[in-house]
Amino acid sequence: MKAGRLPALLALVALLGLAPEVARSQAPQTEERQNYQRFRQLPPDEKARVLNDLQRWNELPAARKRELQESYERFQKLPPEQRERLLQRQRQWETMPPEERERVMKNYQRWQQIPPAERERLREQWKKATPEERERLRERYRGQGPPHGQERPR
């Protein structure tokens, strides 16, 4: 293209009101635009899942959205190996049969009833235990009610 034609072309673009469009197309894509492009490339079933998740998000109360956002920000601040460990546990949870999930939740509730000092003592005992001792502990506490004779939470 000859040097004299460039100013004329730019003047024509400005005259037709296309300057903002040209500037935008030459600017780096924004994160939102990149996300939209990725969304458009998803298979239909994934698009439906994303739209469903977005609808569920929009229906949440503001306080719950804040809690989830704060949780996400804490997650992002974790070291990569710790984030990966949490993601592995999440994937493991998702593949558990319902009965196993229920058992895990009951054990978690039992654990929450133990006073903090006792929990710490048990953690230390677990760290020092051999694989055989750990299996015996698992068997001993599997399916039992709350520890130390405490009542079940109501």
Side-chain angles (χ1 to χ4, degrees), residues 136-148:
R136 278 196 299 274
L137 287 169
R138 281 188 194 103
E139 290 300 320
R140 179 176 171 197
Y141 293 107
R142 186 168 282 139
Q144 288 186 4
H148 308 295

Side-chain angles (χ1 to χ4, degrees), residues 54-118:
L54 181 61
Q55 180 181 356
R56 287 176 46 215
W57 173 261
N58 289 335
E59 292 170 356
L60 289 175
R64 182 65 178 140
K65 286 180 183 177
R66 245 187 334 275
E67 288 172 8
L68 291 169
Q69 184 64 35
E70 290 167 2
S71 178
Y72 174 76
E73 289 168 4
R74 282 192 309 273
F75 176 79
Q76 290 300 318
K77 291 177 182 177
L78 293 174
E81 57 278 355
Q82 200 170 356
R83 283 196 311 254
E84 183 55 36
R85 198 169 37 247
L86 285 172
L87 290 172
Q88 286 174 351
R89 287 182 182 164
Q90 175 63 28
R91 287 188 290 269
Q92 182 182 13
W93 175 261
E94 290 171 352
T95 62
M96 276 185 196
E99 309 81 39
E100 183 72 6
R101 285 186 190 187
E102 186 177 335
R103 189 184 65 74
V104 168
M105 288 306 297
K106 283 180 181 177
N107 284 340
Y108 174 76
Q109 290 167 351
R110 286 179 53 231
W111 181 254
Q112 294 306 307
Q113 294 178 36
I114 299 173
E118 177 68 5

Side-chain angles (χ1 to χ4, degrees), residues 111 117-131 133-134 136-137 140-141 148:
W111 181 254
E118 177 68 5
R119 285 198 305 249
E120 188 56 37
R121 186 189 69 74
L122 291 170
R123 278 189 194 101
E124 290 303 316
Q125 180 183 357
W126 182 262
K127 287 178 188 175
K128 295 173 184 174
T130 66
E133 291 169 329
R134 288 181 178 188
R136 278 196 299 274
L137 287 169
R140 179 176 171 197
Y141 293 107
H148 308 295

Side-chain angles (χ1 to χ4, degrees), residues 2-94:
K2 293 185 180 176
R5 288 193 179 165
L6 184 57
L9 181 59
L10 291 175
L12 179 61
V13 166
L15 181 63
L16 294 173
L18 299 175
E21 283 300 316
V22 170
R24 253 182 294 204
S25 69
Q26 293 174 347
Q29 288 188 334
T30 62
E31 185 177 346
E32 292 84 10
R33 186 177 181 98
Q34 291 171 346
N35 288 340
Y36 178 70
Q37 292 300 327
R38 281 196 294 269
F39 174 78
R40 289 187 61 196
Q41 294 172 359
L42 290 174
D45 61 325
E46 276 295 300
K47 282 183 188 176
R49 188 188 60 75
V50 168
L51 290 173
N52 184 45
D53 288 349
L54 181 61
Q55 180 181 356
R56 287 176 46 215
W57 173 261
N58 289 335
E59 292 170 356
L60 289 175
R64 182 65 178 140
K65 286 180 183 177
R66 245 187 334 275
E67 288 172 8
L68 291 169
Q69 184 64 35
E70 290 167 2
S71 178
Y72 174 76
E73 289 168 4
R74 282 192 309 273
F75 176 79
Q76 290 300 318
K77 291 177 182 177
L78 293 174
E81 57 278 355
Q82 200 170 356
R83 283 196 311 254
E84 183 55 36
R85 198 169 37 247
L86 285 172
L87 290 172
Q88 286 174 351
R89 287 182 182 164
Q90 175 63 28
R91 287 188 290 269
Q92 182 182 13
W93 175 261
E94 290 171 352

